Amino acid sequence: MTKKNYIYFLVFDDDPAQEEIIRKKILDQLVEYELEYDLINPKDFINLETNSFKEEDFKNYVFDKTKGKHISVIASDCNLIKIEEFIYQGIDLISLLLTEERKIYKCPFILYSGKAKDASTHIINKIRYEIENELEDDTDINSIKILKNLMEARINFSGRLDDSYCDQIIKVIKSDLNTNEIIFNSFKKFGLTKINIGNNDYDGKSLDEVLELIFHQDVKGQRFIKDFLELSIAHYSNLNS
Amino acid sequence: MYQEVLCIHPLDESTAFLEPIRKIFSNNSIIEANLEAHNAILEKIYNFNYKSLIIFLGHGSKEALKGSSTSDYEFENYIDVNQAKNLFKNHDIFLLSCNSRDFLNAFDSYNSSIGFGNIISSMEEVDIERRFRDLNLENEDVELFKSSFVSAVKQTFIQLITNKIIFKEIPIYLRYFINKEINSVLLSKDLKNRKEIAKLLFEFRDEMIYRVKK
């Protein structure tokens, strides 16, 4: 099978010049893969009357754009919107996406910015706000949502100088590919074996046929990998009791 | 985290198999077969002023949670949607009953909730299901299915009450423990209908929903 690996990623930036940069520094660097991406401008989602961010519209837009797609990485400019007191940054977009119930965005995130101080001040203020306004006294650290999001999400920070975020994106994509290759190679090796575990989605199929499903982005193929891995994890691990 | 953690289990011979779950909670109640007992529990819950965790073990439908059922007492619509809307307001609720996921679709006053799809728990229900699809199950198979998911739910709640996990993580860990049961069933080569039993466990696992207040 010599099909090109299909890769999809997302970038949030208000600078349309990034389109050209992404083409030169990412797409042209990975020609052996079939790359697709969307560059979304968060400024399109500002409610100018109330100086607020149209969160639901943004969530819906991203959800529709990425429906059925495996996202390799989401990169966002750290500093996006600043209108007087109204600040909305990359970290806010990530926090927002992590509240999406229709889909779990568990790809790595890249936050890039030339203005690290602004970015970190904003994050600190968000945490402070949440502690002061939204928590009861005795809550444990798991309840501090933004901290939990940050700790759970794989967020990489990157500078904007020299378009280094593009290098970061390539790095993440390549590591994703390496994992994929391990999966594909294992399945190919034992391609003639058949699955039989009581799940109609893929029971009776050989691993070769499951691989075909995966190449065609069929959700059944992905579901199989997920089930297979989770059953293995459950089989070979234990929780300390 | 919670003002109270309460597990309620209406008296019903056909749901007695859920007892191992009830027993791990220090605050648990079998609801006896009389109206006073049912009302007392409602009153207890209405007196929870702060966020609490309520676990319901029993029969249910998308219309209501069922109360006790004995040879001379029956309370079909113990907690219907309207009652639930007020009763469970701002609490975390775990409803281990048939089609509780549809029940939970009808209101959203809870803080967060977990519900399930159709849970087959008797040969009568197997016979009903057989009208819609092929089901190769005998009584021992259904019993094994029941004890498997009871074990998984019990182990998950032990993680919760020993503060290793929080409510939001219950679906993940319940999935993990059900997967262990699936593996165990599939590896029992002497079980003739192990694939069918595994299928029930897959369905139990995959039909579970977690909802959170917006």
Side-chain angles (χ1 to χ4, degrees):
Chain A
M1 276 177 269
T2 51
K3 293 182 180 119
K4 267 189 183 180
N5 270 310
Y6 170 81
I7 296 173
Y8 175 81
F9 64 97
L10 208 47
V11 181
F12 303 137
D13 203 310
D14 61 343
D15 174 17
Q18 293 306 308
E19 193 105 41
E20 181 63 26
I21 292 172
I22 290 170
R23 191 181 62 75
K24 267 174 50 184
K25 299 218 82 190
I26 302 179
L27 268 55
D28 288 352
Q29 304 300 316
L30 294 174
V31 280
E32 65 270 37
Y33 306 110
E34 190 190 326
L35 248 54
E36 194 197 321
Y37 77 100
D38 279 305
L39 174 63
I40 298 177
N41 183 352
K43 288 205 166 124
D44 291 343
F45 297 88
I46 299 179
N47 182 333
L48 288 166
E49 288 163 32
T50 59
N51 265 2
S52 62
F53 192 75
K54 295 184 199 161
E55 294 191 337
E56 286 309 307
D57 289 352
F58 180 79
K59 269 167 81 170
N60 288 335
Y61 187 76
V62 174
F63 179 74
D64 287 336
K65 276 272 170 193
T66 62
K67 210 183 257 187
K69 293 189 174 137
H70 167 73
I71 308 172
S72 286
V73 58
I74 297 179
S76 176
D77 189 356
C78 239
N79 303 301
L80 292 167
I81 297 168
K82 189 168 183 176
I83 303 176
E84 291 164 22
E85 299 291 300
F86 168 45
I87 299 177
Y88 210 83
Q89 290 199 347
I91 189 69
D92 296 304
L93 287 182
I94 294 180
S95 290
L96 181 62
L97 286 180
L98 292 173
T99 67
E100 175 62 75
E101 283 168 32
R102 295 166 290 184
K103 179 175 181 142
I104 301 182
Y105 294 101
K106 42 174 155 40
C107 55
F109 292 92
I110 296 173
L111 279 177
Y112 56 89
S113 166
K115 295 184 229 149
K117 187 166 181 220
D118 276 358
S120 34
T121 306
H122 182 66
I123 293 174
I124 290 171
N125 287 338
K126 270 180 83 93
I127 295 174
R128 183 179 296 136
Y129 179 85
E130 193 168 327
I131 294 177
E132 284 173 2
N133 294 294
E134 294 175 23
L135 298 181
E136 296 140 25
D137 276 325
D138 237 351
T139 352
D140 66 276
I141 203 167
N142 273 317
S143 308
I144 304 177
K145 275 187 249 131
I146 181 165
L147 270 184
K148 194 150 200 262
N149 284 348
L150 285 176
M151 291 193 290
E152 283 180 346
R154 290 175 284 159
I155 303 182
N156 306 292
F157 294 90
S158 163
R160 168 78 154 253
L161 300 168
D162 300 311
D163 316 308
S164 54
Y165 79 91
C166 288
D167 292 332
Q168 274 262 12
I169 289 180
I170 291 179
K171 202 165 136 196
V172 170
I173 287 174
K174 283 198 167 159
S175 93
D176 208 22
L177 281 171
N178 287 337
T179 309
N180 286 351
E181 264 165 46
I182 293 173
I183 295 175
F184 293 157
N185 288 336
S186 294
F187 281 20
K188 257 182 1 198
K189 218 194 302 189
F190 303 103
L192 297 177
T193 58
K194 284 206 158 108
I195 308 302
N196 232 334
I197 57 177
N199 194 315
N200 288 330
D201 277 351
Y202 40 74
D203 259 9
K205 289 193 163 45
S206 68
L207 284 185
D208 274 339
E209 288 169 316
V210 172
L211 265 181
E212 279 294 317
L213 289 176
I214 295 168
F215 269 128
H216 290 111
Q217 299 289 307
D218 190 323
V219 69
K220 286 190 194 140
Q222 291 169 4
R223 210 173 281 156
F224 170 73
I225 297 180
K226 180 179 176 200
D227 268 343
F228 200 71
L229 279 172
E230 288 190 9
L231 285 173
S232 290
I233 292 170
H235 187 64
Y236 293 111
S237 73
N238 274 303
L239 282 168
N240 289 323
S241 39
Chain B
M1 177 110 228
Y2 294 121
Q3 177 189 334
E4 298 282 350
V5 175
L6 174 68
C7 178
I8 58 178
H9 185 183
L11 179 69
D12 184 331
E13 207 182 300
S14 66
T15 65
F17 72 95
L18 296 171
E19 196 176 51
I21 301 170
R22 178 174 56 77
K23 289 212 155 138
I24 61 168
F25 296 97
S26 50
N27 195 357
N28 74 77
S29 273
I30 295 181
I31 309 180
E32 301 291 339
N34 60 72
L35 187 58
E36 293 76 44
H38 286 77
N39 286 335
I41 290 293
L42 294 183
E43 200 179 314
K44 194 169 185 178
I45 297 174
Y46 276 119
N47 281 325
F48 293 162
N49 293 319
Y50 302 103
K51 185 173 81 173
S52 298
L53 169 60
I54 298 139
I55 298 107
F56 176 85
L57 308 173
H59 282 298
S61 67
K62 63 176 164 66
E63 274 99 34
L65 302 177
K66 188 172 175 178
S68 306
S69 174
T70 63
S71 47
D72 36 37
Y73 181 86
E74 184 110 350
F75 195 159
E76 188 71 37
N77 291 335
Y78 173 35
I79 299 173
D80 65 13
V81 170
N82 282 322
Q83 177 82 263
K85 216 183 293 202
N86 297 318
L87 187 69
F88 296 133
K89 190 164 179 198
N90 295 329
H91 297 309
D92 284 344
I93 54 177
F94 181 96
L95 307 180
L96 188 53
S97 57
C98 247
N99 292 315
S100 51
R101 58 181 273 156
D102 292 331
F103 181 69
L104 289 167
N105 254 330
F107 68 104
D108 62 359
S109 57
Y110 41 77
N111 182 58
S112 46
S113 67
I114 294 171
F116 296 87
N118 188 26
I119 307 172
I120 292 176
S121 62
S122 65
M123 283 311 289
E124 289 79 39
E125 289 172 36
V126 171
D127 288 331
I128 294 174
E129 264 302 290
R130 275 214 186 100
R131 289 193 241 144
F132 307 108
R133 53 168 171 155
D134 259 324
L135 262 190
N136 223 352
L137 289 166
E138 282 153 42
N139 196 43
E140 311 90 74
D141 304 325
V142 177
E143 292 306 302
L144 179 56
F145 166 62
K146 283 151 69 175
S147 64
S148 297
F149 76 74
V150 163
S151 172
V153 172
K154 179 178 160 183
Q155 288 177 83
T156 306
F157 274 118
I158 288 174
Q159 295 295 316
L160 182 84
I161 58 185
T162 56
N163 293 315
K164 307 256 179 24
I165 65 173
I166 58 176
F167 190 82
K168 173 176 166 165
E169 295 169 297
I170 289 178
I172 299 170
Y173 285 87
L174 186 45
R175 208 183 150 87
Y176 174 76
F177 287 117
I178 301 265
N179 283 339
K180 275 188 182 282
E181 300 296 331
I182 291 172
N183 284 332
S184 168
V185 162
L186 289 173
L187 288 169
S188 308
K189 303 292 186 184
D190 51 312
L191 267 181
K192 185 171 67 136
N193 295 325
R194 60 187 180 278
K195 262 182 59 184
E196 297 281 359
I197 302 168
K199 192 184 279 192
L200 288 184
L201 287 169
F202 272 119
E203 285 168 2
F204 179 89
R205 184 196 75 175
D206 295 341
E207 287 169 14
M208 163 175 46
I209 50 124
Y210 166 76
R211 309 185 85 92
V212 73
K213 178 165 68 183
K214 308 234 179 288

